[in-house]
Amino acid sequence: MRWLSSSAVLVSLPLQFGVWQTFPPLLASIGGLLETLALGLHILSLFFGLAGLLWVVPHPEWVASLPPIGLQAFSLSMANGGVAYMVSGALAAALMGSRLLGVRRLLMFLIPAVGISLASELLGTSTGIPFGDYGYLSGLGYKIAGLVPFTIPLSWFYVGLSSYLLARVALQAGRHWLIHCEAILLGALLLTAWDFVLDPAMTRGLIPFWTWFQPGPFFGMPLQNFGGWMLTGAAFMTVANLLWGKDQPVLNRRQLLGPLVLYVANFAFALLMSLGSGIFAPAGLGLLLGLGPALGLWWNAPPAPEDPCHHEAVEGEAAPTWQALEDPGWARVK
């Protein structure tokens, strides 16, 4: 897991705040450890969720053979598994974002992402705009206003953040002003492609988590749903872009590996859920519009520079200090 915790990269965040400058290497190591644990817990939760939904639930005889404590553990895992994987995903994205962007720019993305997605979901579940007429069932945690589980805006945040950071590779290579719009639309497309694959499995599987009251032509989903996803994703990505102003993040391939893993893990969960439910066409569409472009964008990102921590001082040259190291993610776009 070395790629999640490079001290040369992690030190940039503590240096932004005077109170953290006393022991930056220690704080950087703690931050890297927490990020690794959160991402590992998220991926483990996705794995157990897949095992439960695709193997355990279809075999009730196996569940019936469990001892009382096993039945209780299974019941708790099924009731709280969705909450665990979305909360851990949001925590991993927050720690990752604070490392790559700094706390200030992270909050400039997190607050609009959670606020705008929650507003869209509340509007959608009460009026049918912009996604269509749908409603959430149980299994995803406490419902805000009795309509939207609190975990749903968190999932918009962490998948949206990974999508947008990958999409910004196009922005880093361009110079014309329209490139900002292109990066936002590409980020919203990566986010929507995840829903192409996830939504059919989560509504037509053995245990549905939401339902469409007026089913549409795309495996039970109205086509309006995809427009709502594009609009909502583009809205909070645009707000974040405007709030960042000239202080835009510039990330290299090594730094983008964390967002890529977060995106791929969630895409793989949705993909296996769809395939396990016998739903194949959305999986192919998602691979074409989501996973494929995400991998291509990451590969086209600029390679990481030589790690300054491995620089060997020569005679007459001072060795690099912690204060001299700078995370390329803090570079200002000219």
Side-chain angles (χ1 to χ4, degrees):
M1 305 297 283
R2 181 183 174 189
W3 50 269
L4 284 173
S5 179
S6 172
S7 57
V9 175
L10 288 172
V11 74
S12 61
L13 176 59
L15 291 179
Q16 307 305 319
F17 304 93
V19 70
W20 286 20
Q21 291 186 16
T22 307
F23 303 106
L26 175 61
L27 292 175
S29 298
I30 294 174
L33 177 61
L34 291 176
E35 181 183 334
T36 301
L37 289 175
L39 185 58
L41 178 61
H42 178 60
I43 295 174
L44 191 63
S45 299
L46 291 174
F47 173 79
F48 277 107
L50 280 173
L53 293 171
L54 297 182
W55 187 77
V56 177
V57 172
H59 297 86
E61 68 281 0
W62 184 86
V63 179
S65 66
L66 293 173
I69 189 172
L71 288 172
Q72 185 176 8
F74 173 76
S75 177
L76 287 174
S77 65
M78 293 303 297
N80 300 291
V83 175
Y85 94 76
M86 284 191 270
V87 170
S88 60
L91 179 58
L95 292 168
M96 189 182 301
S98 66
R99 170 172 61 87
L100 296 174
L101 307 173
V103 172
R104 182 177 65 87
R105 286 190 296 183
L106 170 66
L107 292 176
M108 288 178 179
F109 188 95
L110 186 152
I111 294 173
V114 171
I116 291 174
S117 64
L118 176 59
S120 290
E121 293 277 0
L122 288 172
L123 187 65
T125 50
S126 57
T127 69
I129 300 173
F131 306 106
D133 194 7
Y134 71 106
Y136 284 99
L137 304 176
S138 60
L140 297 177
Y142 167 79
K143 293 181 181 179
I144 299 172
L147 296 172
V148 180
F150 79 96
T151 52
I152 295 299
L154 298 181
S155 66
W156 279 91
F157 156 64
Y158 69 77
V159 180
L161 180 64
S162 58
S163 299
Y164 187 50
L165 291 181
L166 289 168
R168 284 185 56 85
V169 171
L171 175 60
Q172 294 172 195
R175 290 294 177 266
H176 58 89
W177 67 272
L178 275 177
I179 201 71
H180 288 272
C181 298
E182 293 173 9
I184 289 168
L185 290 176
L186 182 55
L189 179 61
L190 292 179
L191 177 64
T192 304
W194 172 59
D195 186 61
F196 286 158
V197 186
L198 179 70
D199 207 309
M202 299 296 273
T203 55
R204 304 180 68 172
L206 291 176
I207 300 182
F209 292 89
W210 56 86
T211 185
W212 293 99
F213 299 126
Q214 292 182 340
F218 188 80
F219 293 86
M221 289 183 291
L223 298 180
Q224 175 187 351
N225 177 58
F226 303 126
W229 270 77
M230 285 290 297
L231 179 64
T232 302
F236 65 71
M237 292 175 190
T238 299
V239 172
N241 183 279
L242 293 173
L243 291 174
W244 287 346
K246 293 183 178 180
D247 191 23
Q248 299 285 333
V250 178
L251 305 176
N252 59 51
R253 192 181 303 157
R254 182 176 63 188
Q255 292 169 312
L256 286 171
L257 189 55
L260 177 70
V261 169
L262 187 60
Y263 183 84
V264 170
N266 283 273
F267 192 95
F269 173 83
L271 180 67
L272 293 174
M273 282 288 296
S274 287
L275 295 178
S277 301
I279 304 172
F280 301 104
L285 186 60
L287 289 170
L288 180 65
L289 299 177
L291 186 60
L295 292 170
L297 285 165
W298 172 77
W299 183 251
N300 284 319
E306 183 180 355
D307 190 346
C309 284
H310 295 161
H311 174 76
E312 294 182 1
V314 298
E315 185 177 356
E317 178 184 359
T321 64
W322 284 100
Q323 287 73 19
L325 301 179
E326 181 181 1
D327 182 356
W330 280 95
R332 185 182 297 273
V333 175
K334 304 299 183 185

